[in-house]
Amino acid sequence: MIGLTGKTVEELMTEWNLSPPFRARQLFKDIYSGTDSVDDMSDLPKSLRNELKEKGTLLTSEILKERISCDGTVKIVLRFPDDAVIETVALTTDKGRRTACLSTQVGCAMGCRFCHTALGGLKRNLTAAEIVEEFIRIRQKNGPISHIVFMGMGEPLCNLDEVCKAVGILCDKDCCNLGKRKITVSTCGVVPGIIRMAEEKMPMKLAVSLNAPDNEKRSQLMPVNRKYPLEELKRALLLYQDSVGRRITFEYVLIDRFNDSEKDLENLCRFLHGFHLPLVNLIPWNPTPALEFKSPSGNRVRRFMDAAAAKGINMTLRRSRGRDIEGACGQLAGKAAAR
């Protein structure tokens, strides 16, 4: 039943000739309350609960593993009935927000060389119902969630229809009642998806994984840059900025002696020109097995940030939460984590 909208619940109950119409809103609230069983929906008559149990189940996923970091970050590994395995994380930000980091695909096809998820390739897209179920499962383990970032496994803009359906459900006042402005969609730079967000004026925040400010280096790190180079990406992002009127966040994974030079900062400054109050989230690379990169030292990170500030770049250091449970940026692995 997860994934149904309020309207769909009403239509189904009418089709099934189940109870008065007001029961549909009660059922809708109960579906997304986090309960595992129809039997726990005590506000519904027992006769209705019995009929609903014959129609379907609530949650379809199984929690294979749960890990809690020393910093309080929670990571769960979920398996769906077709054996698809994903990871979902809940963390507390520097501002005290409790944020769910949700996956949108099983694996990823983007092939970013600094990311563990990319090693397994893409298995399939998640449905809107599965994305919403992720949220409910992590909320069961973590408690109240105020913000969502689509920064888990997969590329959200390659599954935008299902992401938008999930956002619609999660923001329904009778479901999770989240504000769309508390939801961030992160992309590696899929230009058609950015243009669609601009044309449809989607109100979610946009974050872009930039990581290198010149085409040669960025293409080495991120194969998507060969299809959508920085010039094309910037045009799409400026269109989004002008259409939606939201500040864009740029994620910059700092890799020791690869993208942390003075020349890199000059190129970054040049790329950011024209954006309104752009924010750069600096993320020291999180080590992960089988990848050859090296994390920068604290001194190199500080020097890079000081030099950025001198050039007028608005840059913040994003603490890598959950690193000890392989729940930080770039460390989610899906099937491998279930072992």
Side-chain angles (χ1 to χ4, degrees):
M1 295 182 188
I2 295 294
L4 297 177
T5 64
K7 182 179 180 181
T8 305
V9 170
E10 292 174 7
E11 291 172 349
L12 283 175
M13 291 190 74
T14 299
E15 179 185 331
W16 295 338
N17 295 316
L18 294 179
S19 293
F22 75 88
R23 293 290 188 196
R25 296 312 291 180
Q26 287 181 302
L27 174 60
F28 182 71
K29 291 180 182 179
D30 286 342
I31 288 172
Y32 297 105
S33 67
T35 180
D36 284 319
S37 172
V38 173
D39 287 323
D40 294 332
M41 297 179 178
S42 57
D43 57 338
L44 299 180
K46 186 174 182 179
S47 58
L48 176 56
R49 281 179 272 163
N50 289 336
E51 289 181 272
L52 288 171
K53 283 191 290 185
E54 296 177 3
K55 300 294 183 182
T57 58
L58 286 177
L59 301 174
T60 63
S61 64
E62 173 191 3
I63 298 178
L64 293 181
K65 184 185 292 186
E66 175 188 0
R67 297 181 69 187
I68 302 177
S69 168
C70 60
D71 62 25
T73 298
V74 177
K75 182 176 79 169
I76 58 174
V77 182
L78 295 178
R79 180 170 62 195
F80 291 101
D82 66 347
D83 256 358
V85 176
I86 61 166
E87 293 184 273
T88 304
V89 174
L91 52 89
T92 302
T93 67
D94 291 330
K95 296 181 179 180
R97 298 170 179 168
R98 201 61 180 164
T99 299
C101 180
L102 302 184
S103 297
T104 55
Q105 295 179 310
V106 183
C108 186
M110 295 296 102
C112 298
R113 288 182 56 218
F114 55 86
C115 179
H116 197 185
T117 308
L119 295 178
L122 176 67
K123 306 300 188 299
R124 66 172 176 85
N125 287 334
L126 291 177
T127 65
E130 290 167 334
I131 294 170
V132 174
E133 186 161 331
E134 269 189 272
F135 178 85
I136 289 172
R137 285 297 197 191
I138 197 68
R139 189 180 62 181
Q140 285 177 334
K141 292 295 182 182
N142 173 80
I145 299 282
S146 62
H147 291 70
I148 289 175
V149 291
F150 288 106
M151 294 182 182
M153 297 170 61
E155 167 53 58
L157 296 191
C158 288
N159 191 22
L160 191 52
D161 285 342
E162 296 301 307
V163 169
C164 288
K165 289 177 189 175
V167 167
I169 294 169
L170 291 167
C171 293
D172 190 294
K173 63 180 178 64
D174 288 328
C175 177
C176 301
N177 198 28
L178 290 168
K180 290 183 179 178
R181 291 180 178 270
K182 294 183 178 181
I183 297 175
T184 299
V185 175
S186 177
T187 179
C188 68
V190 179
V191 166
I194 296 170
I195 292 173
R196 180 181 165 191
M197 288 187 71
E199 291 176 344
E200 298 183 16
K201 298 186 186 300
M202 295 182 185
M204 299 90 79
K205 293 180 180 178
L206 181 63
V208 181
S209 186
L210 185 63
N211 306 320
D214 69 84
N215 281 319
E216 182 180 355
K217 284 188 178 181
R218 194 166 190 267
S219 293
Q220 289 180 45
L221 283 180
M222 307 172 71
V224 69
N225 195 73
R226 298 169 196 150
K227 187 171 185 180
Y228 306 116
L230 286 169
E231 297 78 13
E232 193 172 342
L233 174 62
K234 184 170 183 176
R235 284 194 295 270
L237 291 173
L238 289 172
L239 175 65
Y240 170 86
Q241 174 183 268
D242 294 342
S243 176
V244 181
R246 303 295 304 277
R247 180 172 74 168
I248 297 170
T249 298
F250 295 91
E251 310 286 350
Y252 197 100
V253 174
L254 196 67
I255 300 171
D256 189 59
R257 303 181 193 282
F258 179 82
N259 59 354
D260 58 355
S261 69
E262 179 70 21
K263 181 64 174 177
D264 292 315
L265 273 176
E266 291 175 6
N267 288 334
L268 178 60
C269 217
R270 189 176 302 111
F271 181 83
L272 294 177
H273 180 73
F275 290 103
H276 178 64
L277 301 176
L279 174 65
V280 178
N281 270 342
L282 191 69
I283 310 166
W285 183 71
N286 293 304
T288 189
L291 299 180
E292 73 275 21
F293 297 114
K294 183 180 177 182
S295 298
S297 67
N299 284 336
R300 288 189 73 84
V301 172
R302 283 190 292 274
R303 283 201 297 269
F304 191 79
M305 292 193 70
D306 289 344
K311 292 181 179 297
I313 297 174
N314 183 16
M315 183 177 290
T316 62
L317 180 63
R318 197 167 91 190
R319 289 179 56 197
S320 293
R321 302 179 188 278
R323 181 185 280 193
D324 57 318
I325 59 170
E326 296 181 335
C329 177
Q331 290 186 318
L332 301 186
K335 196 74 174 179
R339 299 190 184 108

